[in-house]
Amino acid sequence: MKNNLEKFKTPKPTVQLTGEDGNVFGIIGRVSKALKRAGMPEEAIEFTTKAFACHSYDDVLQLCFAYVEVE
């Protein structure tokens, strides 16, 4: 999976994933919400679209690392 970090103009928002519900839909929601709150609505839509196209839980997690700082 290609890392598209160079397109971000602002620092990546931070999302707490450790110690939270590990449900993939919950993770996608938390990351999307963090991107929107950071003023990155287009990236939130892009992330969500890509996340739902992923073939595995691990692929979604790798995508999360590309869009946000994970705690």
Side-chain angles (χ1 to χ4, degrees), residues 1-5 8 12 17 24 27-28 31 35 47 50-51 54-70:
M1 191 173 303
K2 187 176 185 225
N3 191 336
N4 294 324
L5 295 179
F8 290 124
K12 295 190 298 182
L17 293 183
V24 72
I27 290 170
I28 293 168
V31 171
L35 289 166
F47 165 78
K50 288 181 179 181
C54 285
H55 295 286
S56 72
Y57 184 85
D58 288 337
D59 288 346
V60 173
L61 290 180
Q62 289 300 312
L63 187 63
C64 291
F65 290 119
Y67 282 83
V68 297
E69 293 294 330
V70 176

Side-chain angles (χ1 to χ4, degrees), residues 16-48:
Q16 176 74 34
L17 293 183
T18 57
E20 299 290 327
D21 180 9
N23 177 291
V24 72
F25 299 109
I27 290 170
I28 293 168
R30 284 194 296 280
V31 171
S32 178
K33 186 182 284 187
L35 289 166
K36 289 175 187 173
R37 285 184 180 161
M40 303 168 80
E42 288 123 16
E43 287 83 353
I45 293 168
E46 180 181 273
F47 165 78
T48 302

